[in-house]
Amino acid sequence: MELLKDRIIKDGTALSETVLKVDQFLNHQIDPVLMVEIGKEFKTRFEGVKIDKILTLESSGIAPSVMTGLELSVPVVFARKRKSLTLTDGLLTADVYSYTKQETNNIAVAEKFIQPGDNVLIIDDFLANGEAANALIHIVKKAEATVAGVGIVIEKSFQKGGNELREAGYHVESLARIRSLGAGEIKFVDEVKN
């Protein structure tokens, strides 16, 4: 997705060889026009796939998921990281480690929102080691639903998550695949190596 790659180059910052900061348009401030285009792109990439619901993780996955949900006319469910007084019974849970935040969170979804037989598209902002995607897959499987695919806004292809998900047989679509980060440089997978 060229529009997304252009935005990553313009407003993204490689903080290290493993951390990409995109708070100008995705993780803190959200560009709604870009999110609309991301929703359209995910609709195109998963065309012909039966999707009943979208599942994401709060909070950075919500914007691209909602826009995709609008395009596909399906509801969006997000796994919560924080305990809630209203989210206590009938929960599907999993643990997820955040490399960026250096912490493990227990995430939860009310089981009434993902039913057996549902075809669930998982969408998230980043894919690195696959921790978040695998936790969401675990929740879908606990619900006896089917993973229809995994949509990722930005994949760090130099980390293991994407390859492991593909090798496990999941249909993974990443809108921008980063080959490397470092020295203030961001290189994409489809760029010719110098």
Side-chain angles (χ1 to χ4, degrees):
M1 184 178 177
E2 291 306 314
L3 179 65
L4 176 60
K5 289 185 199 175
D6 291 345
R7 191 62 184 270
I8 292 167
I9 294 298
K10 178 179 176 255
D11 290 325
T13 305
L15 296 179
S16 71
E17 292 180 353
T18 58
V19 179
L20 175 63
K21 185 176 181 179
V22 290
D23 64 347
Q24 289 288 323
F25 59 91
L26 181 62
N27 291 129
H28 195 67
Q29 175 173 274
I30 296 170
D31 179 340
V33 175
L34 178 61
M35 292 305 118
V36 167
E37 295 305 315
I38 284 171
K40 289 176 183 176
E41 185 69 20
F42 277 135
K43 179 182 180 181
T44 299
R45 296 211 186 183
F46 288 100
E47 191 169 358
V49 177
K50 181 164 176 33
I51 298 167
D52 302 308
K53 294 189 175 157
I54 294 171
L55 176 63
T56 192
L57 186 58
E58 73 172 344
S59 64
S60 297
I62 294 174
S65 295
V66 167
M67 295 304 158
T68 305
L70 278 170
E71 290 295 319
L72 296 172
S73 298
V74 299
V76 175
V77 178
F78 64 90
R80 297 184 128 190
K81 296 178 190 174
R82 292 160 194 81
K83 299 291 181 204
S84 167
L85 294 175
T86 63
L87 192 66
T88 56
D89 297 323
L91 301 179
L92 301 164
T93 63
D95 286 332
V96 61
Y97 178 75
S98 169
Y99 176 81
T100 308
K101 295 178 182 162
Q102 298 284 301
E103 65 185 23
T104 299
N105 288 293
N106 184 261
I107 60 171
V109 172
E111 59 189 18
K112 67 182 177 182
F113 293 124
I114 302 177
Q115 296 292 305
D118 279 346
N119 296 289
V120 181
L121 173 61
I122 292 169
I123 291 183
D124 205 7
D125 60 337
F126 272 95
L127 176 60
N129 290 315
E131 296 280 342
N134 280 310
L136 294 171
I137 288 167
H138 180 73
I139 285 175
V140 172
K141 287 181 174 182
K142 270 186 165 179
E144 299 178 4
T146 301
V147 175
V150 179
I152 301 297
V153 179
I154 301 169
E155 177 182 344
K156 293 190 252 178
S157 296
F158 54 89
Q159 291 177 292
K160 65 182 183 174
N163 287 335
E164 287 181 353
L165 290 174
R166 289 177 183 93
E167 287 170 7
Y170 293 106
H171 176 184
V172 179
E173 291 288 342
S174 299
L175 303 187
R177 296 183 71 206
I178 306 292
R179 177 168 43 96
S180 64
L181 296 170
E185 256 190 1
I186 302 165
K187 296 281 186 188
F188 295 97
V189 167
D190 54 355
E191 290 181 359
V192 177
K193 293 181 183 178
N194 295 332

